[in-house]
Structure formats: C-alpha cells, structure tokens
Amino acid sequence: MITNVRKIAATLLRESRNRGIYYSLIMNLSQVIGYLRGGINKLIYARNIRSSIFALQANSRIEIFSRHAKVVIGKFVFIRKNASIRVDFTGELHIEDKVFINDNCNINCVNKIFIGEHTKIAPNVSINDHDHNYKGETDQHLIKGEVIIGRNVWIGSNVVILRDTYIGDNAVIAAGSVVKGHVPASTLFLNKRERSFIPYAAANQ
C-alpha cells in the first residue's frame, strides 16, 4: 500500500513539473470526474454491469435496454468523451483490463462483443455485432453475430468493425479500414478502398 502511494505521488510530482501545476490539476480532476461517472453508471445499471474501477468522461454514456443484457468491465478501463455504448436483448459486452477507448466511439452489442486487455481504440471507431435485416430473408429484425478482439490490439481512427469479426492478439488495424472476418495475430490489417464514382442518374434509377 505504501509503495503504491509513493508511486502515485511520484507520478503526480513528475506531471506537475512537466505540465505545470495548474494543468496537472485540471487533467487529474477530469480523470477523477470520469471515474465518478463510471461509478454512477454502475449504480444505474446495477443488475447488468459487473465492473472494477473504470472511467467514463464527459458526454459518454452506457445504455442498456434489456434485463438480460450483461456488461463486464475490467480494471482501469478508460472511456473518453462522446462515446456511446449500447447493449440490448441478450447482448454480452466484455471489456478487459486497461482498455482505452478514445473520443466519439460507438459500440453496439445485441449478442457478443469481447475486447481484450490493453487494447487501444482510436477516435471515431464503430463496433457492431449485428446487421439490420434489410433484405427481409427471415422474420428477425436483426442478423446477429459476434466480434472478438484480442489482447494488445491497436485500432486506428475511423475504423468500422462488422459482425463476425475475429482480431488476433497484437494486431494493428489501419485507420479508415472496414473489417469483417478473421485478422491473424501480430499482423497489420489495411483495407485500402479505391475511389469509385457512379453517375448520379444511374445511382437513382
């Protein structure tokens, strides 16, 4: 316990020297408020959320729309501003220890999404374990799948991860990629899309 207190004190002192005392106070106050907001959300959804200490910064929200839904959040998960996490039906969302989710991310879970520990997610990432059944091939409103993201994965800005995607440990997903299927561990996934132009009249026929 004493060792941990010393480490925290040393970190705060180092930050105040590098950033300045005023800016260090602002940053740490923002983090404390984020952890308080995480605790409040845990109380609101006490039946659904099982978690350790996690942070949920300004305008980020967790919305759970079913008593059957489950959310498991590990230690020191940090969710930055304007993130939206929605879990419905029998959805199970697992976010492991020390995952970092940046601004403006969207996670929509109706079946299963798993995010492994130490994974870092950049701004504007969208993760969905389902599609809308727009073809009407069945009487179900949604086509459900799952998303499994391994440990220590880096996901770049503006990535879209679709249902039935499995990303191995230590993989890197390049910014702007659309991901569906299997991404092997310790690989770089780059989804390069060429520009294509369809005449306006043809597109509206």
Side-chain angles (χ1 to χ4, degrees):
M1 179 68 179
I2 294 174
T3 303
N4 290 334
V5 171
R6 285 176 178 171
K7 285 182 179 179
I8 292 169
T11 301
L12 292 173
L13 182 60
R14 185 168 60 250
E15 285 181 356
S16 64
R17 286 173 178 168
N18 292 334
R19 300 174 187 272
I21 294 174
Y22 174 74
Y23 294 101
S24 294
L25 286 172
I26 291 174
M27 185 190 74
N28 286 294
L29 180 60
S30 174
Q31 290 180 344
V32 168
I33 291 170
Y35 285 113
L36 289 173
R37 293 184 81 247
I40 290 168
N41 274 264
K42 184 177 179 179
L43 289 174
I44 292 170
Y45 297 110
R47 290 185 57 179
N48 305 90
I49 295 179
R50 190 173 82 245
S51 73
S52 181
I53 298 171
F54 72 98
L56 193 68
Q57 287 202 315
N59 298 320
S60 288
R61 63 190 184 277
I62 298 173
E63 296 176 309
I64 299 174
F65 298 119
S66 170
R67 62 190 177 94
H68 303 291
K70 296 179 182 177
V71 177
V72 179
I73 302 177
K75 298 175 184 176
F76 300 112
V77 169
F78 199 89
I79 302 166
R80 290 196 66 186
K81 297 177 181 179
N82 303 311
S84 174
I85 296 173
R86 297 184 179 184
V87 188
D88 201 353
F89 300 104
T90 58
E92 293 188 16
L93 171 63
H94 291 253
I95 304 175
E96 298 288 281
D97 295 351
K98 298 182 180 179
V99 168
F100 177 80
I101 299 173
N102 216 317
D103 299 336
N104 304 310
C105 290
N106 293 285
I107 299 174
N108 297 297
C109 176
V110 300
N111 187 45
K112 182 179 181 181
I113 295 177
F114 178 93
I115 303 173
E117 63 184 2
H118 297 283
T119 287
K120 304 291 186 292
I121 301 176
N124 306 309
V125 170
S126 178
I127 303 173
N128 301 278
D129 67 355
H130 61 282
D131 290 324
H132 288 278
N133 186 19
Y134 68 93
K135 292 183 179 179
E137 295 174 348
T138 69
D139 59 355
Q140 298 296 315
H141 174 59
L142 300 174
I143 302 171
K144 299 178 183 179
E146 61 182 23
V147 173
I148 308 297
I149 300 170
R151 300 173 63 253
N152 197 39
V153 173
W154 168 247
I155 300 173
S157 299
N158 301 302
V159 166
V160 177
I161 299 176
L162 302 174
R163 68 178 172 91
D164 295 332
T165 293
Y166 307 89
I167 300 173
D169 296 346
N170 306 304
V172 176
I173 310 299
S177 295
V178 178
V179 191
K180 183 176 175 65
H182 290 261
V183 177
S186 304
T187 59
L188 169 63
F189 180 92
L190 173 61
N191 179 213
K192 185 178 180 182
R193 290 171 287 165
E194 300 296 334
R195 290 185 179 182
S196 60
F197 297 92
I198 301 172
Y200 181 80
N204 288 276
Q205 286 180 352

